[in-house]
Amino acid sequence: MSDSAPLGKVAVSLTPQERFEEFLQSRGQRNTEQRRFLVDRVFSNHEHFDVDSLIEQLPRKGQENYVSRPTVYRALKEFVDAGLLRCFQLEGRSVYEHDYGYPQHDHLYCTRCQKLIEFTSEEIMKIRSQVAVQHSFRVASHRLIIQGVCQDCSRRRKKRKQDLI
């Protein structure tokens, strides 16, 4: 999935690898070579992804650092539980994004090319806070995904049947 330019980072005291190691230790689990490889791979660049797109980037069976599909699913769940990733549903599939070290943000989603564009908005944060106060509600987080068509797809005029004659 393509993204816009990444948002600025939030200062954190631990690297994603160190944070995950700490999470595993708190649960009495060990950090395997496969888990370390996946953390490095997922955090090597900032992009949204689903399981299939991640697996396509990983080494194949028989190659060094091969990770099985079930192990990828388990590791992604652990990354979410550790606060490293966020998972959300988009058109029936689970999409993952970095959470640790990144600011609260929202998305524009192009329903044609599936591009996700991240943005921050002080106005949205103010409205969120006002609504929470009105309802005596303490906000933990929010997710806003605005669906539509991006500028690139808007420019590409869909060919009509009569245009093809």
Side-chain angles (χ1 to χ4, degrees):
M1 297 189 151
S2 56
D3 295 284
S4 61
L7 301 172
K9 292 189 175 197
V10 173
V12 292
S13 58
L14 301 173
T15 67
Q17 295 80 354
E18 293 167 335
R19 167 100 181 226
F20 188 58
E21 179 77 36
E22 189 176 84
F23 168 80
L24 291 172
Q25 286 176 356
S26 74
R27 294 185 165 202
Q29 297 176 308
R30 64 186 183 87
N31 198 0
T32 64
E33 191 174 316
Q34 290 178 322
R35 285 174 170 151
R36 282 191 295 274
F37 175 76
L38 286 173
V39 169
D40 288 343
R41 173 56 98 167
V42 166
F43 282 87
S44 65
N45 59 17
H46 180 78
E47 64 180 15
H48 296 87
F49 63 93
D50 60 17
V51 173
D52 290 334
S53 65
L54 175 61
I55 289 174
E56 285 175 15
Q57 298 173 20
L58 298 176
R60 303 283 177 237
K61 192 169 189 171
Q63 296 177 325
E64 187 179 353
N65 292 320
Y66 167 73
V67 182
S68 70
R69 183 175 283 271
T71 299
V72 171
Y73 275 100
R74 280 192 302 274
L76 289 175
K77 182 183 180 327
E78 291 172 336
F79 298 167
V80 170
D81 292 346
L84 296 175
L85 295 178
R86 292 183 92 176
C87 178
F88 57 95
Q89 297 299 307
L90 200 54
E91 294 187 350
R93 56 183 219 283
S94 296
V95 176
Y96 296 87
E97 70 174 346
H98 295 172
D99 190 26
Y100 183 67
Y102 289 89
Q104 169 70 51
H105 61 278
D106 297 296
H107 299 89
L108 300 172
Y109 174 69
C110 179
T111 55
R112 287 194 190 158
C113 69
Q114 299 182 334
K115 179 172 25 178
L116 274 166
I117 301 167
E118 297 178 326
F119 70 94
T120 58
S121 169
E122 287 299 319
E123 292 83 9
I124 289 173
M125 297 301 279
K126 286 177 187 173
I127 292 169
R128 181 187 86 166
S129 296
Q130 290 169 350
V131 169
V133 167
Q134 289 171 359
H135 296 277
S136 302
F137 189 81
R138 193 179 89 215
V139 176
S141 68
H142 78 269
R143 168 79 52 222
L144 175 64
I145 302 172
I146 301 170
Q147 297 186 2
V149 178
C150 71
Q151 185 176 20
D152 292 340
C153 290
S154 292
R155 288 184 185 150
R156 283 185 233 127
R157 196 175 114 202
K158 209 171 186 176
K159 291 188 178 182
R160 302 173 298 174
K161 286 183 183 177
Q162 58 266 37
D163 294 338
L164 300 174
I165 299 175

